[in-house]
Amino acid sequence: MDFLDLEPVVLPAELDGLRADVRAFLRDELSAGRIESRCDQWLGGWDAGFSARLGERGWLGMAFPERYGGTAAGALARFVVTEELLAAGAPVAAHWIADRQSGPSLLRFGTEEQKHAFLPRIARGECFFAAGMSEPDTGSDLASVRARGTRVDGGWRLAGTKVWTSGAHRAHAMIVLVRTGPRTADRHAGLSQFIVELPDPDVHVRPIRLLTGEHHFNEVVLDDVFVPDARVLGEPGSGWRQVTSELAMERSGPERFLSTFPLLSLAVERLRDHDASRVGAVVARMWALRQASLAVAGRLAAGAAPAVQAAAVKDLGTRFESVVTDTVRSLTRAVPDLGSDQALPRLLAEAILDGPGFTLRGGTNEILRGVIAKELGAR
């Protein structure tokens, strides 16, 4: 189990002031009615104006160098801001993928032109990204992608279909993983990433609606899309190494166990005098997940790519989200109701209806356990 021996990370005391500033800002936003606390807002809470206000305060692109529009505050400072935004149930979906993974991928693998074209806009909350990874009939097995990139004069032609592509109908760009080399015994060879700028007449975005009827996920059809050489991310053929690095960022953050935190917070307030042991057990489990997530953030800040550790955090976090919902549901008499003017019934309904999507985004639990089993030598 050495792969799970993550070095504990203690947040520096100087970040306490940052946390207090973010909390004060969120209190003002909530009290003024500019935002509303809801569950799962990093997927469903699309508010470009709120993202821009975060950008004005330097709370986006915090790990970007100043020359690219960032603040160079670092990954741990970003972790603090992220925690507070999620805990408040703030609408962060617009900038989420760009700030969490697309921007860092551009910073690590992109050309100077690409960095200057996208990173300052991401840091200002003006440029949003989608992630074109999963495909129909392949689930979370990225090595089985069938979308293809064909070399043409001046660039590449991309053809294929992506699915579960969050926010693609609103994004300004999408980083797409496709196969550019022949299939060989090495399933990870011959993959490449491309930056597809949106909208594009040859990119067709079709909604996949949730149980609530909300539209966050999409099927994206690449219909012989031309991408110039200037929009190849990294080196052709290096896509697997790059996307693995990206997945470590995608799977390990506090969003993997704080999607339902507004519901848990309210339950603690309501139930602590009646069912303290059961509620306390849930909170203790959340705190352990936080420490694991923070440890992965520390590894990422040090330049590592802890993909297996991130898979463990995501798997455990997804299951924890269901525990929160089931515990609150069993301990209260609240009837789930999306239209309720009371917070508990509304938040409970949101958590229940959003729950089936938790395991889809970032990789299904079964695939994640396969990643862990392979590391352990069990498969």
Side-chain angles (χ1 to χ4, degrees):
M1 297 291 285
D2 288 346
F3 79 94
L4 283 181
D5 286 341
L6 290 167
E7 191 70 26
V9 172
V10 178
L11 291 171
E14 56 265 28
L15 294 180
D16 292 346
L18 172 63
R19 189 182 295 278
D21 289 343
V22 178
R23 285 184 180 180
F25 165 75
L26 290 168
R27 281 196 300 269
D28 289 344
E29 291 282 304
L30 288 164
S31 62
R34 287 187 289 270
I35 65 172
E36 182 182 15
S37 180
R38 299 184 61 181
C39 288
D40 208 30
Q41 286 286 70
W42 67 271
L43 176 66
W46 193 284
D47 187 334
F50 181 73
S51 294
R53 294 196 291 278
L54 292 176
E56 289 172 2
R57 287 159 176 78
W59 294 339
L60 299 181
M62 299 183 76
F64 303 172
E66 293 181 6
R67 67 182 180 277
Y68 300 129
T71 63
L76 296 183
R78 181 186 178 275
F79 191 95
V80 167
V81 173
T82 298
E83 276 195 311
E84 294 302 321
L85 293 172
L86 294 167
V92 294
H95 68 264
W96 196 258
I97 291 174
D99 184 62
R100 178 185 68 184
Q101 65 196 80
S102 302
S105 289
L106 284 162
L107 187 62
R108 184 171 181 180
F109 303 112
T111 65
E112 282 299 305
E113 186 275 332
Q114 290 169 356
K115 293 173 186 177
H116 285 288
F118 295 105
L119 294 181
R121 293 162 56 205
I122 291 173
R124 292 195 300 267
E126 298 174 356
C127 183
F128 310 134
F129 270 70
M133 296 184 187
S134 298
E135 296 188 0
D137 304 321
T138 63
S140 302
D141 182 10
L142 292 183
S144 66
V145 297
R146 293 175 294 188
R148 294 202 60 85
T150 304
R151 194 78 174 88
V152 296
D153 186 32
W156 299 76
R157 290 281 179 184
L158 309 187
T161 302
K162 296 295 178 179
V163 75
W164 310 121
T165 315
S166 305
H169 56 305
R170 291 167 161 166
H172 301 106
M174 176 172 60
I175 295 179
V176 180
L177 179 70
V178 302
R179 189 167 295 282
T180 53
R183 288 184 179 273
T184 66
D186 182 357
R187 300 171 68 241
H188 300 154
L191 297 171
S192 305
Q193 286 186 303
F194 296 86
I195 305 167
V196 177
E197 298 187 66
L198 301 171
D200 184 297
D202 296 320
V203 177
H204 310 293
V205 182
R206 301 166 179 166
I208 299 174
R209 298 195 179 274
L210 304 182
L211 290 174
T212 60
E214 294 174 283
H215 174 198
H216 310 310
F217 290 129
N218 297 278
E219 179 183 68
V220 178
V221 178
L222 307 169
D223 187 11
D224 203 28
V225 180
F226 176 74
V227 179
D229 286 326
R231 289 296 174 260
V232 178
L233 180 61
E235 295 295 327
S238 297
W240 183 257
R241 177 175 64 88
Q242 294 173 194
V243 80
T244 301
S245 172
E246 187 176 342
L247 286 172
M249 294 179 278
E250 178 177 350
R251 290 172 171 169
S252 63
E255 68 271 23
R256 296 305 175 187
F257 54 90
L258 291 181
S259 297
T260 52
F261 186 83
L263 175 64
L264 177 59
S265 178
L266 189 59
V268 169
E269 180 182 323
R270 299 278 183 89
L271 299 171
R272 60 188 174 190
D273 294 331
H274 305 285
D275 296 280
S277 61
R278 287 190 63 185
V279 174
V282 175
V283 173
R285 186 168 172 177
M286 184 201 72
W287 194 254
L289 280 166
R290 178 187 185 266
Q291 294 304 102
S293 176
L294 186 54
V296 174
R299 292 282 296 274
L300 290 168
V308 180
Q309 295 89 338
V313 170
K314 202 276 181 181
D315 176 39
L316 293 169
T318 296
R319 285 186 278 167
F320 171 76
E321 299 280 22
S322 297
V323 169
V324 171
T325 305
D326 293 344
T327 301
V328 175
R329 195 175 193 178
S330 67
L331 293 180
T332 70
R333 296 182 180 179
V335 177
D337 181 2
L338 282 177
S340 176
D341 57 0
Q342 298 180 29
L344 187 59
R346 177 176 57 79
L347 290 171
L348 183 57
E350 290 170 1
I352 292 170
L353 293 173
D354 290 341
F358 291 170
T359 186
L360 292 174
R361 56 197 188 195
T364 62
N365 288 6
E366 292 76 12
I367 290 293
L368 297 173
R369 291 168 197 169
V371 170
I372 297 166
K374 185 176 181 180
E375 181 70 16
L376 292 171
R379 57 173 294 183

